[in-house]
Amino acid sequence: MASGALRVKVSMTEDEIVLIKVDGELTIFTEEYEMLYKEIWAYIKMGLYRFVVDLRGVTYIDSSGLGLIIRMATHAFKQNSRVCVLYDSPQ
């Protein structure tokens, strides 16, 4: 796997909070992006709107990656919920 490749781990807590750990490049040009997109929408279709997105391992994010997070947050907000994004880079 290339050093910038997208790696994603998704799990759910007992409180039905979806945890998404993302490493590498969050861009539409990676094969894993489509899988992540479909998985997120599957949770939303199940009525789950609470997400924690850990981007601390992300080395690059394009407008598609940002758009995905914004769409998650929009759906969560409409359901009186929130998306929490973890990121510790000053960039």
Side-chain angles (χ1 to χ4, degrees):
M1 183 179 298
S3 62
L6 180 64
R7 293 171 302 283
V8 178
K9 180 180 178 187
V10 180
S11 59
M12 188 168 54
T13 68
E14 291 179 11
D15 296 337
E16 295 187 336
I17 298 172
V18 181
L19 307 174
I20 303 170
K21 171 78 171 111
V22 183
D23 293 299
E25 297 181 357
L26 181 52
T27 170
I28 197 167
F29 299 110
T30 58
E31 291 179 25
E32 294 83 359
Y33 177 88
E34 185 67 24
M35 181 272 313
L36 174 60
Y37 178 87
K38 288 179 180 179
E39 190 158 1
I40 288 168
W41 294 116
Y43 282 112
I44 289 172
K45 286 181 181 179
M46 290 188 307
L48 300 173
Y49 301 99
R50 298 188 307 166
F51 294 91
V52 174
V53 184
D54 185 348
L55 299 178
R56 292 177 289 188
V58 170
T59 57
Y60 176 79
I61 186 168
D62 69 3
S63 60
S64 297
L66 289 173
L68 179 61
I69 294 167
I70 290 168
R71 284 191 298 276
M72 287 170 45
T74 300
H75 282 280
F77 182 75
K78 288 178 181 178
Q79 297 299 320
N80 199 27
S81 189
R82 299 289 181 263
V83 171
C84 177
V85 177
L86 305 176
Y87 193 68
D88 62 358
S89 176
Q91 299 176 351

